Amino acid sequence: MASFLRSKQAGVQNDLSAAVSPGLFLPDEQARYGINSQISCLAYDPVQSLLAVGTNESKYGPGKIYVFGQLRVDKWFSPPRPASIQHLSFVANRLISRDSRHELGVWDLNTGEQLAKYTYTQAVCTITDPMLDWVLVGLQNGDICTYDLDRERPALFRIPNFWRDRDPNARAVTLLGMQLHPRDIGQLLICYSLGAVIYSFKENAPVKFFEYQLPPGAPGGNSEGVGSLRKPRLTHAIWHPTGTFVMTAHVDGSLVFWDPKEGRVIAARSIYETKINEPTSKATPPRAIVPFTKISWCCKENPDDTGLLIAGGHARDDGDNGLTFLELGVTPVYATSSWDILANHFEGKRRITLETPPGAEVRDFCLIPRTSPHFAGAQDPIAIVTMLSSGELVTMSFPSGYPISPTNMFPPSLTFVHPFVQKISVSTLNRDRWLGMIEKRNQGEPILKGGAEAARRRRWYDWRNIVQVAHADSTVRIWDAGYDDEIENPSQLQVDIARALSRYENVEITALNMAEMTGEFVAGTSAGEVVVYRWGGNKFFGRDEPGSANSNPGGITDISSRTEPSLKEGLQPFVLYEMMQGPITALSVSNVGFVGVGSEGGFFTIIDLRGPAIIYHGSTADFAKQEKKSFLKGHSGSSAKDHPVAIEFGVMTLEGDNYSSIACFVGTDQGKVATFKLLPSSNGYSVKLAGVVAFSDKVISICPINADNGHAASATGPVVASLRDGRQVNGVLVVVTQTEIRIFKPAPAKGASKSFDDQLCDVAMVTEIPQYGFALVALFGNRTTRAYTLPGLKELGRKSLPMLDASRTMLASLTKTGDVFGWTGPSEIAVLPLWGTGKPLENSHDTLVNPELVMPPRPTISNFQWISGTQYVSPTDLDILIGGPDRPPSKRMIAAAAAEKQLSRPAPGTTVRGGTSQEGWGDYLTRQINERTEKLNIMGDSVDNLQKSSSGWAEDVNKYVKNQKRNMLLGGLKKSFM
């Protein structure tokens, strides 16, 4: 009976929800965009072109692993126990992780499932190699364990703490890091807190120790304790890309370069000074040094042309908080260079600072090599993805440090922390309009090119949910969130609000809106500015036109010259309106060229973009003069300034009129809903306040609908054009406040209402259920959502949405297709279709690994190193040294042998000659292992014989040269006497 009465009171004769049953109200969790917690580590695979991101455990959820590829390709991995991810690396088609619970995890990139796991005691570092089936796990006590990836179990091979064996009296000797020799995989550089060690797998013993000492008088890296002998503790130890040198980094800011053959210091320097290990009479004041967090010894395609990329090591009072790149240049030939030449090389050619945003330090970085996964992932890098202490990411070109926008470089999820998000809005755009909105921008090739998206169903709606994301750097990225269907236009759009304002400081975006038919876009700032964008070409393409930055308070400025030089076609800045009455709190851009603007200062403006011109500007205080006194519920005495919070444009016949007109509906923070009538005039359009209705609290949403069919009574071009022919739209307003729903015919009619019981409403929208009808959906502060019939306002059902962050439900968005975009954490949103089937969140079915991509061979030692006696150990030799000769061939070796056997088979129809060997792959592998073991054992003897042969050959050459000189001399003498 109550529903029947409400329908009569609302003036809606048809039951718009007649076919909508409670069983249809079953929310799905369609997708999540963003990162669930603070980023803790990064890893990049240059062969597959994939980026892995690990996160910390927090109150928003456990640590998680994300792997991103091209466009929208992604997959997530969830450890079975809550923990923070501390390490990630790619090995073949697997992903290796280590978490804060010291658990080593092996993941299948194709399925997203965990293949194996093992928990160590106090694991502190982990290293892998793309060509190895082994993981080396360093423990805090200095021991190193091995894990067999092929057998998916720990191996028996273990390396002890050599520094404790060298100095039994040393205290607190901990392991800090490890690195395999870039060319000779048989050598391992181990970094302890007191020194570094080179370990030989073949000899199963340490071959060199490195301990850095500063004599009295040497300033060191921080000029502290100059008068005494010091032994600064280590932070890092890394190889030169060719293995020619070793570098150790220390807590005092020292970078020490060593000769790994002799164990001698070649040079020592800090980021700023050189020869810091030599005593000097020049006094330098002590200074605090930021600890080194990561160092990479990078190289170009030529591994002898190198440089050091350093995070940390700079003085705390230095204004530069970014990365430091020390360009060293081409490495001198070790065999022919003097000690001074080698020492001068490490003075470097130049020092470059790669700037990062102020207020945060660099915690980690990930190099993006062009092709090679070798040389510790530092050969020929083209970009750097930098992780800041705030958890944000910054991408820069290498080595110039020029910022790279993540738009269309990374999937949308990764842009949520690149940098953090300030504001999100969701608009429902016409599909045809969105398909035509593809930017043409000068941009480098995408950083991520791997993976392939899974096949999805065809489009479900003729409308697309377009997300507008405003970031802390004043950029707005716009993209299609989809309906778990095929996204026909997966590209992202970008606008630069700071450039349009011609100022780059203190730009905070507070409001966003996009027209559903025309694609016009508006953004408002905390300073009271509104920027309007239109789709089009850039007549200033390729030119950096500064444009006028003169202030025009209260006026409209043409800013079409403030386009981005690299953007050829896209959303271009059109006009700037400087309202300057406090932060912009509400925006709406219509499909017929009008923009509604509301500010925190209590003012409201309507702009006609055809001029452009301001056709109305007034204060919300004027609304009180027009509102019906019988509807007031206590706001007249409120001291807080009322301001607009919701604006909508529509076309309908207002109460008392016999024609339809364009109307603008404005809802305020104190519960007033004002109706403005826009009528044609000689100078364009005039605006008249038609009436005001007062509610008891804040207006949440205003939905103008057609009372006959339930569709939105939007102001579109065809509808407005038909008004000339006398067409009328029988419309009503569905207004939702924090405590009430009301359906009425504007402006002053009371209509039908329903109050909420015990919760405040945060978001509401009239939604369409295709083939069934319409219903009102509301989201509440207790993370529940409810559906109501129209116009009866009968509750259809209520569902809990526990995945949402209860403190941010007010920032959620609801679309007319019934999709909730709600925050689950500071940098992640969930997409929840409310009219679904109750389906939980599923992992992506995207394919990450391309099996046709071949891993390039691992670099080997040079000919000179081989001739000089270096005992080279190959990856297969290392399998024997670690696993022992009794270890069965690995799956990778079996696959390689099977491929060789397949290639050696005769073609169909051919015969095999008698006597041909029919050795099977098992016998072949056994023979190969035996031969390699034998060769490995006699390698030393072979090198000794080679040395003797070389020595004999050199003696013969010397004798031959002497004889030739003697014959020439005698021949000359004979000619002189004859």
Side-chain angles (χ1 to χ4, degrees):
M1 180 60 70
S3 300
F4 175 76
L5 293 176
R6 289 193 185 102
S7 64
K8 295 300 182 183
Q9 293 172 345
V12 181
Q13 304 302 321
N14 300 326
D15 187 353
L16 306 178
S17 308
V20 181
S21 64
L24 296 175
F25 191 61
L26 287 174
D28 293 338
E29 187 167 4
Q30 172 187 307
R32 292 202 183 186
Y33 290 99
I35 305 296
N36 75 322
S37 186
Q38 187 181 43
I39 293 179
S40 57
C41 55
L42 303 165
Y44 178 71
D45 181 358
V47 176
Q48 296 292 338
S49 192
L50 300 171
L51 179 68
V53 174
T55 66
N56 285 321
E57 180 184 9
S58 68
K59 65 179 182 179
Y60 301 104
K64 208 171 181 179
I65 302 169
Y66 301 85
V67 178
F68 298 103
Q70 62 175 330
L71 298 176
R72 303 295 179 89
V73 174
D74 65 356
K75 197 180 288 287
W76 45 266
F77 307 77
S78 295
R81 296 190 301 171
S84 298
I85 308 300
Q86 295 182 335
H87 169 84
L88 291 172
S89 58
F90 291 93
V91 178
N93 297 339
R94 292 163 293 194
L95 182 68
I96 312 302
S97 67
R98 191 190 77 248
D99 61 30
S100 57
R101 294 180 179 269
H102 313 290
E103 182 177 277
L104 186 75
V106 183
W107 304 85
D108 188 324
L109 287 173
N110 284 324
T111 64
E113 297 178 354
Q114 190 175 58
L115 300 175
K117 61 179 180 179
Y118 186 79
T119 303
Y120 287 92
T121 303
Q122 297 296 316
V124 295
C125 60
T126 306
I127 62 166
T128 59
D129 188 272
M131 303 300 294
L132 290 183
D133 287 322
W134 306 95
V135 181
L136 299 180
V137 182
L139 308 183
Q140 191 174 21
N141 63 1
D143 292 352
I144 300 172
C145 303
T146 54
Y147 186 87
D148 191 339
L149 291 176
D150 184 70
R151 299 295 180 266
E152 297 177 354
R153 64 189 180 192
L156 298 177
F157 185 82
R158 192 181 183 101
I159 301 174
N161 186 330
F162 292 118
W163 202 270
R164 187 175 288 116
D165 295 341
R166 177 178 183 263
D167 185 5
N169 297 324
R171 303 179 63 182
V173 181
T174 58
L175 183 65
L176 300 178
M178 304 172 284
Q179 187 179 354
L180 289 165
H181 193 292
R183 289 184 177 271
D184 182 5
I185 207 167
Q187 295 187 59
L188 177 68
L189 178 62
I190 307 173
C191 178
Y192 299 105
S193 56
L194 299 183
V197 174
I198 295 179
Y199 167 76
S200 170
F201 284 98
K202 180 168 188 308
E203 299 180 21
N204 193 23
V207 294
K208 277 293 179 294
F209 289 85
F210 307 97
E211 184 178 20
Y212 176 52
Q213 295 185 5
L214 285 170
N222 57 7
S223 300
E224 293 183 0
V226 176
S228 61
L229 176 70
R230 289 148 289 155
K231 298 180 180 180
R233 288 178 169 263
L234 272 69
T235 60
H236 298 80
I238 58 176
W239 288 102
H240 182 276
T242 62
T244 310
F245 307 104
V246 166
M247 192 208 73
T248 57
H250 300 261
V251 294
D252 70 335
S254 297
L255 301 172
V256 186
F257 301 90
W258 303 80
D259 179 354
K261 294 183 179 297
E262 300 183 15
R264 290 178 54 186
V265 174
I266 300 174
R269 62 164 300 162
S270 67
I271 285 180
Y272 308 100
E273 306 292 338
T274 59
K275 299 179 181 180
I276 60 173
N277 61 330
E278 299 177 5
T280 178
S281 58
K282 182 180 178 181
T284 55
R287 55 183 174 181
I289 300 295
V290 176
F292 293 110
T293 55
K294 187 171 183 178
I295 303 176
S296 286
W297 206 327
C298 311
C299 63
K300 297 182 180 179
E301 189 174 356
N302 173 17
D304 280 314
D305 194 349
T306 71
L308 288 168
L309 184 62
I310 304 168
H314 56 272
R316 289 195 179 274
D317 56 359
D318 195 338
D320 298 331
N321 292 326
L323 298 169
T324 302
F325 180 65
L326 297 177
E327 184 179 352
L328 301 178
V330 179
T331 307
V333 179
Y334 176 83
T336 60
S337 299
S338 66
W339 207 258
D340 290 338
I341 292 176
L342 295 178
N344 292 335
H345 170 69
F346 293 113
E347 292 185 1
K349 297 172 64 176
R350 59 173 177 163
R351 175 169 66 93
I352 305 172
T353 299
L354 284 63
E355 296 182 358
T356 56
E361 297 181 352
V362 176
R363 290 287 175 84
D364 193 9
F365 61 81
C366 178
L367 288 166
I368 308 296
R370 197 177 301 274
T371 56
S372 173
H374 304 301
F375 298 102
Q379 185 184 26
D380 198 16
I382 58 174
I384 318 159
V385 181
T386 306
M387 185 184 78
L388 305 181
S389 56
S390 62
E392 294 173 289
L393 298 181
V394 176
T395 304
M396 297 178 284
S397 60
F398 181 86
S400 61
Y402 185 79
I404 297 176
S405 170
T407 306
N408 294 318
M409 287 287 180
F410 296 131
S413 288
L414 205 54
T415 64
F416 273 62
V417 290
H418 201 306
F420 287 145
V421 174
Q422 286 183 338
K423 178 78 176 177
I424 278 188
S425 178
V426 183
S427 301
T428 306
L429 252 68
N430 177 267
R431 170 180 171 269
D432 293 337
R433 171 69 272 193
W434 175 248
L435 291 182
M437 298 178 71
I438 300 177
E439 275 189 352
K440 294 180 181 178
R441 182 187 294 268
N442 282 348
Q443 194 172 32
E445 60 178 319
I447 292 176
L448 303 181
K449 295 174 283 188
E453 291 188 68
R456 290 177 171 84
R457 63 180 179 174
R458 287 289 184 173
R459 60 185 176 88
W460 186 250
Y461 290 107
D462 285 332
W463 301 93
R464 308 303 300 177
N465 284 336
I466 306 304
V467 185
Q468 305 122 58
V469 185
H471 295 265
D473 61 353
S474 76
T475 59
V476 180
R477 299 187 179 97
I478 304 169
W479 40 272
D480 184 0
Y483 299 98
D484 195 24
D485 59 354
E486 178 185 353
I487 299 178
E488 299 166 292
N489 177 10
S491 63
Q492 305 171 47
L493 308 180
Q494 175 181 299
V495 297
D496 188 345
I497 303 298
R499 183 176 181 86
L501 296 174
S502 205
R503 65 181 181 89
Y504 297 89
E505 295 182 358
N506 303 319
V507 179
E508 181 183 354
I509 300 169
T510 57
L512 303 165
N513 190 250
M514 199 169 200
E516 61 184 25
M517 298 300 294
T518 63
E520 290 175 323
F521 173 70
V522 290
T525 71
S526 59
E529 302 141 319
V530 177
V531 184
V532 182
Y533 287 84
R534 275 183 170 174
W535 187 267
N538 182 6
K539 61 182 179 181
F540 300 102
F541 175 68
R543 290 180 290 164
D544 192 0
E545 296 287 337
S548 174
N550 296 330
S551 180
N552 183 20
I556 296 177
T557 304
D558 181 2
I559 57 171
S560 57
S561 64
R562 301 179 188 178
T563 57
E564 299 178 57
S566 61
L567 183 61
K568 186 175 184 179
E569 183 180 357
L571 284 172
Q572 310 289 357
F574 177 48
V575 293
L576 168 65
Y577 170 49
E578 297 176 72
M579 193 176 195
M580 314 307 282
Q581 298 289 343
I584 302 301
T585 56
L587 280 176
S588 179
V589 54
S590 74
N591 297 303
V592 290
F594 299 105
V595 177
V597 183
S599 72
E600 195 174 279
F603 287 86
F604 172 67
T605 299
I606 297 178
I607 302 172
D608 185 354
L609 296 179
R610 277 169 286 268
I614 298 172
I615 58 176
Y616 179 84
H617 178 73
S619 170
T620 54
D622 299 335
F623 297 173
K625 303 173 184 177
Q626 295 287 333
E627 68 184 63
K628 292 188 68 175
K629 302 300 181 181
S630 58
F631 287 78
L632 291 175
K633 298 186 179 180
H635 280 303
S636 59
S638 175
S639 59
K641 182 171 288 189
D642 198 8
H643 59 270
V645 292
I647 303 172
E648 289 291 338
F649 287 91
V651 171
M652 65 177 64
T653 303
L654 302 182
E655 183 77 12
D657 288 347
N658 57 2
Y659 59 91
S660 293
S661 58
I662 304 173
C664 180
F665 310 102
V666 183
T668 71
D669 183 62
Q670 295 182 8
K672 298 181 182 67
V673 175
T675 301
F676 292 88
K677 189 187 303 185
L678 282 69
L679 298 173
S681 65
S682 57
N683 296 324
Y685 277 85
S686 61
V687 179
K688 177 183 178 183
L689 180 61
V692 178
V693 177
F695 294 79
S696 60
D697 42 49
K698 179 181 177 180
V699 174
I700 299 300
S701 73
I702 302 173
C703 301
I705 65 171
N706 189 316
D708 298 329
N709 55 31
H711 289 284
S714 303
T716 63
V719 172
V720 172
S722 66
L723 296 181
R724 298 176 182 176
D725 302 328
R727 178 184 174 183
Q728 294 198 31
V729 178
N730 179 24
V732 294
L733 282 188
V734 181
V735 177
V736 182
T737 70
Q738 290 180 315
T739 60
E740 179 186 3
I741 308 171
R742 187 178 299 180
I743 305 174
F744 63 95
K745 195 171 187 65
K750 181 175 182 180
S753 64
K754 178 182 178 66
S755 298
F756 302 125
D757 44 14
D758 56 349
Q759 291 292 328
L760 296 179
C761 179
D762 290 330
V763 187
M765 178 64 67
V766 173
T767 64
E768 180 182 1
I769 308 95
Q771 302 177 357
Y772 292 97
F774 298 84
L776 176 70
V777 175
L779 177 66
F780 294 82
N782 62 346
R783 296 185 294 183
T784 61
T785 180
R786 307 177 194 176
Y788 299 91
T789 62
L790 293 174
L793 300 181
K794 177 183 177 182
E795 185 175 314
L796 285 168
R798 61 177 68 189
K799 300 293 180 181
S800 177
L801 303 176
M803 70 290 294
L804 298 183
D805 180 3
S807 65
R808 309 185 78 184
T809 53
M810 290 184 295
L811 303 178
S813 296
L814 245 173
T815 68
K816 67 179 184 180
T817 55
D819 299 307
V820 171
F821 288 73
W823 291 96
T824 62
S827 300
E828 185 184 50
I829 60 171
V831 183
L832 309 169
L834 299 179
W835 305 102
T837 59
K839 184 175 65 174
L841 180 66
E842 294 181 355
N843 204 346
S844 163
H845 298 290
D846 296 340
T847 300
L848 295 180
V849 177
N850 181 358
E852 296 182 359
L853 296 176
V854 180
M855 182 74 65
R858 197 178 197 276
T860 60
I861 60 176
S862 65
N863 293 334
F864 178 81
Q865 289 174 311
W866 184 80
I867 291 174
S868 64
T870 302
Q871 297 183 359
Y872 171 68
V873 177
S874 68
T876 50
D877 295 331
L878 194 64
D879 287 344
I880 299 171
L881 292 172
I882 295 179
D886 297 330
R887 177 179 181 263
S890 68
K891 297 175 185 176
R892 188 186 299 186
M893 293 173 63
I894 292 174
E900 287 187 15
K901 181 175 175 63
Q902 182 69 26
L903 292 174
S904 65
R905 286 180 178 176
T910 61
T911 59
V912 181
R913 291 181 298 176
T916 303
S917 174
Q918 297 295 322
E919 182 182 34
W921 62 265
D923 297 333
Y924 167 78
L925 283 176
T926 303
R927 178 171 59 81
Q928 289 294 318
I929 290 175
N930 292 334
E931 289 179 2
R932 282 198 301 272
T933 306
E934 182 180 356
K935 290 177 182 178
L936 200 61
N937 290 333
I938 66 173
M939 187 181 295
D941 298 334
S942 300
V943 172
D944 292 340
N945 293 334
L946 176 64
Q947 184 176 0
K948 291 178 181 179
S949 301
S950 301
S951 177
W953 177 78
E955 290 177 2
D956 292 340
V957 170
N958 288 333
K959 290 179 181 179
Y960 174 77
V961 171
K962 289 179 180 178
N963 289 333
Q964 291 297 319
K965 288 181 178 179
R966 183 174 175 274
N967 291 336
M968 290 173 63
L969 180 61
L970 292 176
L973 290 173
K974 288 180 181 179
K975 291 180 180 179
S976 299
F977 287 106
M978 290 182 66

